[in-house]
Each structure stands twice: as structure tokens, then as C-alpha cells.
Amino acid sequence: MLIDTHCHLDFPDFEKDREETIQRAKKENVRYIINIGTSVSSSLKSSEIAQKYNCIFATAGIHPTDMEKTHIIDIEKINELAKNPKIVGIGEVGLDFHYSRKFEEKQKEFFIYQIEIAEKHNLPLIIHQREAEKEIKELLKTRKLPEKIVFHCFSGDEEILDWCMANGFYISFTGIVTFPKAYNVHKAAKIAPIDRLFVETDAPFLAPVPFRGKRNEPSYVRFVLEKIAQIKQMDRAKIEDVIFQNSIKFFNISY
Ligand SMILES: [Zn+2]
């Protein structure tokens, strides 16, 4: 059984065929889907979708690139959403300086607020980071953290991987692992211990080969898993089972 630990079915990309997309995932043996919030409205919509389907759970969080429209009152809304039993994590939150550092201080401030929410509700934290490795390390070093943390869409080098492992964090791989030139990610997939990694699509983004460039969806998560099994030269069924068990334990999903 598979689990897509990170996707965005609440996005407009799925407005026309959300139901069919979910059914296709079921046919491909995807037992659970975690739909990740990126703003207050996206988190609300994610929790509504999760309410409708037994196989879907959601998270609540404000993405670091969403700072322009974000206000302090939104933190209270995320805190309220965190009480919903179908909300299984806080995220995606973090730091992203890829496009600009304009909101650097605000990104840090809201990241800290949301770390505190995860800690308070004892929920896993889903971290998004892009071109902010140094700042993330600094920030996490100095505070009380929730017990469970995952770095989603892992694309760091060996040093970051070691740092994640040394701190007890999890990492999650997307379709990038299937891209021929993603050497860093291939290396990380080779050396990361299987009991500390998850698979995800990040749909509608980052469709794996052979669908690269197209809209991604949860039914494609098997391509990520197959590639990791191939890189690790491990039995696919075995790695599938370990990742599934770890994922449901991490997100506290009972089945
Ligand atoms: Zn995402």
C-alpha cells in the first residue's frame, strides 16, 4: 500500500476532476493521501476535502511565499484548525528565499508561530525550505521543537541529510528523484535510511518521469517509490511496506 504524504488537491488544478483523481489514486493502491495547506483558505479547503473522504487527511499552515497577504490573525485560524481531528500536521511552513528576501523577517516570525502551534498540539511539522538552509538551521537550533519534523521535497546535499538524520528529522522525496540529472537527490535517496523517509507527489507540481512537465497527481506516487527502490537496489514490496508503516505512524493515522 502507498501513501502520498504531500499533495495539494485543494488547488484549482483539480477543480474539474478532483473526484476522478482520487479514484485513480485508489486504483493505484494509494491507501492514504495527506493534503497540505499553504494558506488559511487552502488549509480550510484541505480540511473540507479530508472531511469528505476517509482516505484523505489534511494539514494546516501558511507557506513562506504567502507572506504578502498574511496577517497575525491568520495564526489564530491555523491554531483553531489544528484542533480538527482530520488535521494531522502543521505545514507547509518554513523559509523560502528563492524569489526574494523581501519578507525574510516576516517569514521567520510566522515560521516560529507555526512551530509553536505544532508543539502545542503535538502535531508533526512539515517544513518547506528553499535556498534557506543556513537560516533554517539557525532558527531550529534555538527553540523547542515538536517531536516529529519532516523536510518535504528533499533536495539537499549530503551535509544537510546528515544534519536531518542527526536531529531525528524525516525527509520526503518527490518526483525529482526520477529526473536523470538530479544527482544530489539520487545520492540522498541512496544513503538515507528507509525508516526515515517518505514519498510524496507535491501534486500538481513536479510530476515524475514519465509524466514530467504534465500535471502531477497522487496516483503517480508509485513512480517515486519505484525509483527509490531501484536506487537503493532493494525489494520494492519491502520498501513500500516500511515507508507506509512509518508514514502512518508519523502522521498518527490509525487504519
Ligand atoms: Zn507542497
Side-chain angles (χ1 to χ4, degrees), residues 22-165:
I22 294 164
Q23 295 314 323
R24 276 196 298 277
K26 282 186 179 172
K27 274 203 196 98
E28 289 293 342
N29 220 13
V30 180
R31 180 73 181 83
Y32 294 115
I33 293 170
I34 317 267
N35 204 79
I36 305 289
T38 57
S39 64
V40 169
S41 60
S42 145
S43 302
L44 272 168
K45 189 154 185 188
S46 300
S47 78
E48 279 165 26
I49 296 170
Q51 227 56 259
K52 260 179 81 179
Y53 297 91
N54 285 333
C55 62
I56 301 184
F57 293 83
T59 68
I62 305 166
H63 196 279
T65 59
D66 218 53
M67 288 299 120
E68 191 152 15
K69 327 180 246 301
T70 300
H71 304 282
I72 191 72
I73 181 93
D74 296 329
I75 288 298
E76 198 32 55
K77 294 176 186 161
I78 297 296
N79 188 49
E80 274 307 305
L81 271 165
K83 297 173 188 163
N84 179 324
K86 282 222 104 173
I87 296 287
V88 295
I90 297 299
E92 54 187 299
V93 301
L95 302 176
D96 187 330
F97 302 132
H98 179 68
Y99 298 106
S100 132
R101 283 189 178 256
K102 191 171 163 203
F103 293 101
E104 179 168 349
E105 286 316 307
K106 193 170 178 183
Q107 283 193 23
K108 287 181 180 165
E109 191 186 336
F110 277 78
F111 185 28
I112 292 167
Y113 289 143
Q114 296 181 95
I115 292 172
E116 288 168 358
I117 294 173
E119 214 269 318
K120 180 172 124 190
H121 294 276
N122 195 21
L123 285 170
L125 186 72
I126 298 95
I127 295 183
H128 167 100
Q129 87 81 20
R130 199 170 178 194
E131 290 170 39
E133 285 170 358
K134 193 178 119 241
E135 292 83 354
I136 288 256
K137 278 181 171 174
E138 278 298 306
L139 194 145
L140 293 183
K141 203 164 66 185
T142 53
R143 43 205 74 246
K144 192 157 178 241
L145 300 175
E147 206 178 298
K148 298 167 178 172
I149 293 182
V150 60
F151 279 77
H152 111 90
C153 192
F154 189 84
S155 56
D157 58 18
E158 215 174 323
E159 193 200 321
I160 298 291
L161 178 73
D162 287 346
W163 173 79
C164 285
M165 294 304 120

Side-chain angles (χ1 to χ4, degrees), residues 6-8 11 36-38 63 92 126 128 152-153 174 200-206:
H6 188 122
C7 72
H8 303 283
F11 280 24
I36 305 289
T38 57
H63 196 279
E92 54 187 299
I126 298 95
H128 167 100
H152 111 90
C153 192
T174 58
E200 60 168 288
T201 58
D202 206 10
F205 312 114
L206 300 173

Side-chain angles (χ1 to χ4, degrees), residues 2-4 7 9 12-33 53 55-56 201 203-204 211 214-223:
L2 295 159
I3 172 166
D4 182 357
C7 72
L9 293 176
D13 311 68
F14 295 104
E15 216 47 76
K16 285 202 186 101
D17 64 345
R18 190 171 293 117
E19 174 69 33
E20 293 87 333
T21 304
I22 294 164
Q23 295 314 323
R24 276 196 298 277
K26 282 186 179 172
K27 274 203 196 98
E28 289 293 342
N29 220 13
V30 180
R31 180 73 181 83
Y32 294 115
I33 293 170
Y53 297 91
C55 62
I56 301 184
T201 58
F211 299 104
K214 306 227 166 64
R215 184 189 73 171
N216 200 0
E217 60 172 65
S219 67
Y220 300 164
V221 75
R222 69 182 180 89
F223 295 103

